[in-house]
Amino acid sequence: MITNEVWKSCQTELRHKLNPHNYDSWIAPISYESFEGDTVTLSVPSVFFVDWIEEHYKGQIIDLFGDVAGKSISLKLSVRHELDRGAEPSSPLPKASDAPSYMELLEKCSLNEKHTFRNFVVGKSNEFCHASCQAVAANPGRVYNPLFIYGGVGLGKTHLLQAIGAEALRKNPKANVLYMTSEKFVNSMINSLQQGSMANFRNKYRSLDVLMVDDIQFIAGKERSQEEFFHTFNTLYESKKQIVVTSDKIPKDMKNMEERLRSRFACGLISDIQPPELEIKIAILKQIAKRNGFDMDDDVASYLAEKIKSNIRELEGSLARVMAYSSLTNRPINMDLAQETIRGIYGEVVRMLDIKQIQKAVVEYYGLKIIDLKSRSRSKNIAGPRHVAEYLCREFTTASLPEIGRSFGGRDHTTVLHAVSKIKADLEVNTQLYNEINEIKKKLDL
Ligand code: ADP
Ligand code: MG
């Protein structure tokens, strides 16, 4: 029996597992509704939550319920309509009702309906890869075979790979399309070996029109899987069926990958995705916000795009949190809300500044002039702030000690080092100093 109490204890468990920001954004707002048959219904504040939780937390929640009930439990998420939310986001799956059969097809082929060409923002960093994927989707098995997509984590490889499948199915709903991760390939091969059903395993692949294998690098070092994949590859290739794989490395850098496979991968087209430029990040943010029914100004989009440097997955994650806070607090997405959210997420992450920015913030805070920081004065109300500024430069710029020394009136690097150590030691015991430095850091958006 899954009761409200059980849900509360699951929440406690998740609180321990997840980072606090994720817990507060996504799990805390979920309420228990009912348990009927084998289905638990939980409710969430908006449609947008349903989508996000399904994608990121559903598995964990179901596992926890399963442990309690001792059998498998299914989970339904409903939206709490009684809450009057002026800006309820529109459904993120607008196409679901228009074309159910197409949606079913996508699901059957393990394709995520959001991963389409339409939803893919094109810019310099990915236009070549995007174009090659479109060409392949338009003419599977005819143009580039195999197509080898490579690029860093979170840059859109899986999205493009699945877009090929979705497009091929849209054009020809009868096409036999299969998307899988290389791990799944390995697991299903192992299962077939154990059950003595390798013939079925092989037949399944022979009849495909398009085979898409994601993160192929994971079969490196697994001999039997490479062998099997090699044969699958050859069969499909010879019958002019399309093969697309993704990887975080180019074939020649895939250590522990058999040479014959590497050369097969390299015989078609190798297409790469580069890290996103600012414009693409802004366009992606605006597109996702719009799709979820939120308005986002350019300044907010550029703020987020500049803050999140690493990859598009992280960009999406941060935007998701901004949208969640917006719907939870019923506030529009504006600069304040974005800054609060980002500070929550990246509070601990060090942001790099330049010396001048720090000097400016310090003199403003203490009511001094830049020239004071560079002076020889040892009076407490000047030397103190100078030490603080040197400390902040050491912590939040990439400048070396001698460089910092030069920027503070040509001081020796040991003098700077001494000042930095002094502030560090004082910070442990001096609350006032601690607060002052925090105020300055806030000014600097640290
Ligand atoms: P990878 O497989 O390279 O690690 P993904 O394809 O999973 O990366 O992309 C991470 C997330 O970013 C996905 O949700 C994807 O939809 C999104 N994404 C990546 N590139 C783009 C793009 N150009 N336009 C829109 N969304 C993108
Ligand atoms: Mg991927």
Side-chain angles (χ1 to χ4, degrees), residues 26 48 52 56 119 121 125-126 153-156 275-289 291-292 296 300-324 333 338 341-342 345-346:
W26 305 111
F48 172 65
W52 190 264
H56 296 87
N119 288 344
V121 178
S125 52
N126 60 22
V153 172
L155 299 186
E277 62 272 22
L278 192 63
E279 291 75 19
I280 256 201
K281 291 198 279 183
I282 294 175
I284 290 174
L285 286 166
K286 295 190 78 162
Q287 188 211 59
I288 299 174
R291 204 160 69 216
N292 287 288
M296 184 188 279
V300 178
S302 21
Y303 169 75
L304 291 173
E306 267 177 50
K307 281 277 166 183
I308 290 123
K309 303 244 180 321
S310 47
N311 67 49
I312 297 172
R313 184 171 305 140
E314 209 177 305
L315 193 69
E316 271 190 354
S318 313
L319 172 60
R321 276 207 197 77
V322 173
M323 293 193 286
I333 296 185
T341 320
I342 292 300
I345 309 169
Y346 289 97

Side-chain angles (χ1 to χ4, degrees), residues 154 156-159 179 214-215 246 313:
K157 299 185 296 297
T158 299
H159 188 137
Y179 164 87
D214 210 354
D215 292 319
T246 71
R313 184 171 305 140

